[in-house]
């Protein structure tokens, strides 16, 4: 292999018409960044003239006519160095039509200064969970370059599925600023755990239009839809999916009781309460499943003695009648779900202790109104890991969505990261 080909190989440059000036490879620091600057020439004997089409038979019809100098091309980093190719492109003169033209290369598109390799690298980087700012910084391109790349990708991001998942989960998350509704709608396939689609609105009207793109037969083959308590979803599921069992998933059932107990605790966290610090700092113990509380005694500063988790919780709930009743109600709910004991669950929500807080009363009312769909969550087993995975995914989406102004871009990145589309 010639030295030139060897260097081209190292730089991942396929165009063998590029000649590296090995005497002019410099390391420079520009604005505090390390650069490797490589001088190269692009030249070859053209086959024909792009203006008049004359064939360059004897190699005399078209002659070399100097260089267009100093085209700076961004190529991928070498080692830890940002790398620039100063490319001098051969100019040609056609004797037949008396026009000149410039040599072309597969390294970079005409009038561009970002090599195709770098473009490809942007796509690959967009598939990783990282901010666009970081990508721009690492590849030494502008943020607007990344933005344009996402424009390009999102312009052909249309997910088309030939059928709907047999079992799907519907959920929402707060979306970017430019979306129609405030909330975006996400569909996850309950069997694979993969995102099926994301829509920029959770409004019934928009969702109905979306689902009606699938034929009635396709919709009739959907067997299960899991969702939260949002009445709009339940109404829509009943209207469009007549064979589907509607399930309110365990995660959202538990969340209601969890939030109710926690706000009851918070309402007691007043400075005037002598147990203020205990209730404030030991909140995790109160929300924990009572069966998971430890009996081992350790020193605790709030109690200034050796005390077990169980004893601490007992102490705290016995400081207030309402807290105690609400706590017991919560524990009953999470354990009846955990043990798949629907009778016990029903008993708790239809015959509650009258001392429970108004927040918990509200939660129980919601349970009673949706008892049919809650019962289904005891009947139909949806993989717990997938439910959890979905909810973690949505949490991550919320975090990422925050930085996005354009919904299309956000969705494209999610799909890129999840490997649903290719850049
Ligand atoms: Zn010509």
């Amino acid at each position: 292999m010639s030295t030139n080909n060897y260097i081209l190989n190292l730089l991942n440059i396929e165009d063998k018409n590029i000649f590296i000036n090995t005497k002019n490879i410099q390391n420079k620091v520009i604005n505090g960044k390390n650069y490797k600057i490589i001088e190269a020439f692009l030249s070859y004997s053209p086959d024909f003239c792009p203006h008049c089409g004359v064939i360059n038979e004897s190699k005399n019809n078209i002659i070399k006519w100097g260089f267009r100098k100093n085209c700076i091309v961004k190529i991928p980093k070498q080692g830890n160095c940002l790398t620039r190719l100063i490319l001098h492109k051969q100019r040609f003169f056609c004797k037949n039509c008396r026009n000149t033209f410039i040599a072309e290369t597969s390294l970079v598109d005409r009038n561009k200064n970002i090599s195709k390799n770098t473009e490809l690298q942007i796509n690959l980087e967009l598939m990783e969970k990282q901010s666009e700012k970081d990508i721009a910084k690492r590849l030494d391109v502008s943020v607007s370059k990344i933005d344009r790349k996402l424009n390009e990708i999102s312009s052909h991001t249309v997910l088309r599925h030939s059928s709907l998942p047999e079992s799907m989960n519907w959920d929402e998350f707060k979306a970017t600023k430019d979306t129609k509704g405030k909330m975006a709608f996400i569909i996850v396939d309950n069997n694979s755990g993969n995102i099926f689609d994301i829509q920029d609105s959770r409004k019934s009207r928009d969702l109905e239009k979306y689902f009606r793109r699938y034929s009635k037969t396709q919709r009739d083959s959907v067997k299960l839809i899991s969702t939260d308590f949002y009445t709009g979803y339940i109404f829509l599921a009943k209207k469009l999916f007549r064979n589907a069992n509607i399930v309110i998933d365990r995660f959202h059932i538990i969340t209601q009781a969890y939030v109710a107990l926690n706000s009851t605790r918070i309402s007691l966290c007043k400075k005037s309460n002598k147990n203020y610090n205990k209730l404030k700092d030991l909140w995790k113990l109160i929300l924990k499943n009572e069966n998971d509380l430890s009996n081992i005694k350790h020193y605790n500063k709030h109690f200034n003695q050796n005390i077990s988790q169980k004893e601490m919780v007992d102490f705290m709930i016995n400081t207030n009648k309402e807290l105690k009743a609400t706590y017991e109600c919560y524990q009953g709910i999470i354990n009846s779900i955990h043990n798949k004991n629907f009778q016990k669950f029903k008993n708790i929500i239809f015959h509650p202790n009258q001392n429970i807080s108004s927040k918990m009363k509200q939660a129980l009312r919601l349970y009673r109104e949706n008892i049919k769909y809650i019962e289904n969550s005891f009947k139909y087993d949806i993989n717990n890991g997938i439910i959890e995975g979905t909810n973690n995914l949505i949490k991550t989406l919320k975090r990422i969505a925050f930085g996005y102004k354009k919904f299309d871009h956000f969705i494209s990145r999610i799909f890129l990261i999840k490997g649903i589309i290719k850049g």
Side-chain angles (χ1 to χ4, degrees), residues 48-54 61-62 93-99 101:
F48 61 91
C49 165
H51 297 294
C52 67
V54 71
N61 300 341
I62 298 168
F93 177 76
C94 170
K95 287 183 183 171
N96 188 47
C97 69
R98 310 195 67 77
N99 277 314
F101 59 96

Side-chain angles (χ1 to χ4, degrees), residues 371-394:
I371 192 68
K372 204 171 121 196
Y373 313 119
I374 290 176
E375 184 175 12
N376 281 343
S377 84
F378 284 81
K379 263 199 238 167
Y380 303 102
D381 216 15
I382 311 170
N383 186 318
N384 249 331
I386 286 181
I387 294 181
E388 211 167 285
T390 302
N391 285 296
N392 281 337
L393 174 72
I394 291 167

